[in-house]
Amino acid sequence: MKNYHIITFGCQMNKSDSERVSKFLEESGLKESSASEADLIIVNACSVRQSAIDRIRGKINNVKKEKGKPVTVITGCLLEKDKKEMQKLFDHVLKIEELPNWPLPILEKRKGERFTVKPKRCGPSAYIPIMTGCENFCTYCVVPYTRGKITSRPSKEIIDEAKEAIERNHKEIWLLGQNVNAYNGDMSFPDLLKEVNKIKGDFWIRFTSSHPKDLSDELIDAIKKCGKVTKYLNLPIQSGDNEILKKMNRPYTTEDYRALVEKIRGEIPDITLSTDIIVGFPGETEKHFRNTVNLFNEISFDMAYIARYSPRPQTAAYSLKETVSESEKKRREKLLEELLKESNMEKNKNYKGKEVRVLVMKRTKKGFLMGKTEKYKNVLFKGKDELVGHFTKVRINECTSWGLKGKVVKK
Ligand code: SAM
Ligand code: SF4
Ligand code: F3S
């Protein structure tokens, strides 16, 4: 067995786990290849929505058709119910936590847990999980079942990993956890941010996700004072209606959320805010949805990840009767997306003529370079490949609802 191919679904936590899988396989002598040339196919699954699980079936059947018979492995976030079906589709269903001991004959077995395997990093961003698991049990969410209880990594391990990434020229550190504010290692999350901020070098620090119930004054202060921590915050609200929030087991009210945003904007006036929203939760009437629309307009987020509710086995909401049709969920999703576009257009206009610092992420299919500003805005511009992975200055000359376009400012 010589070649492997890995397919990753889900969030940055899964991307980060896949980087460790790749490294582990390569340390055993395998090389990354296209799916058609691979002898070993790994799928790293996400169960947050049914659609992601359905896509796995399609992908694996295609892969099996393409080539003789590669060995197939599925890992990642899987519900018990899906594991049974996956056992029929894949040769192995393996736990990501047990990566160093995966029982594949071609792999060299080792002691220890997944974080003993170093990641194979690619691109300018280094993803560093600081904790895994979640104990919040929002009624719609599978994560407490797929990732289990909270385990936090020791701060030294995290700081060492960040230092190593900076030494290897990564320009952006992402500290990851399902709720980073619940980090309970040997220091608090704000203190951990301060420690990573002390690492020498020119880089940005980002983190995700933060549950509004746990966002402390200390964290706001750390974001404000740490120069390398970007002034960008993802603060998932999920719904703008108190009744729905209660049914979701989100233990805050819209009034609490508004007050929190006011406090954050009072302390850090130029902060950009993103959020997560679920539309069509069981029982969400037009009146409830209107409350979400009103809050959405009022807060004017810079970005929002809008999801149509997907009932998931094992979760508490699974037993609730679905009351919103798929077409109505789509309508609500589209309406919020349109509002987001309009408010972004207004905000992005302010960038015209300005110079922004951009971290160049990649070349797009259409041949542009694509970068991100500190505020996580997309910027497209023309330039050489050498710029990828570096900071550069871009003067903005075009603003759209999805981002900015400009020209590199010659030094
Ligand atoms: N921990 C974060 C928080 O407190 O909001 C969110 C992590 S969750 C894995 C990522 C996003 O997926 C959620 O914010 C939610 O909007 C969405 N999500 C989770 N379960 C969902 C479901 N059953 N249907 C639709 N979207 C869902
Ligand atoms: Fe899921 Fe986030 Fe709620 Fe945890 S806090 S159960 S990860 S939505
Ligand atoms: Fe992430 Fe999906 Fe797992 S959102 S934590 S990969 S269930």
Side-chain angles (χ1 to χ4, degrees), residues 134 136-138 140-141 143-144 178 211 250:
C134 182
N136 286 325
F137 292 95
C138 302
Y140 50 81
C141 183
V143 174
Q178 285 311 333
H211 195 303
R250 301 286 288 186

Side-chain angles (χ1 to χ4, degrees), residues 234-289:
N234 173 249
L235 201 58
I237 180 146
Q238 309 299 356
S239 165
D241 182 88
N242 286 339
E243 232 175 279
I244 298 295
L245 283 175
K246 207 166 178 193
K247 280 190 169 181
M248 287 176 160
N249 192 29
R250 301 286 288 186
Y252 50 84
T253 61
T254 54
E255 291 77 19
D256 297 334
Y257 190 89
R258 284 184 170 94
L260 182 60
V261 168
E262 205 173 304
K263 181 156 73 178
I264 298 167
R265 286 182 169 161
E267 289 296 320
I268 316 167
D270 64 336
I271 194 133
T272 52
L273 282 181
S274 73
T275 199
D276 295 12
I277 289 182
I278 298 177
V279 293
F281 186 80
E284 187 189 69
T285 59
E286 184 59 27
K287 191 170 138 259
H288 296 134
F289 176 63

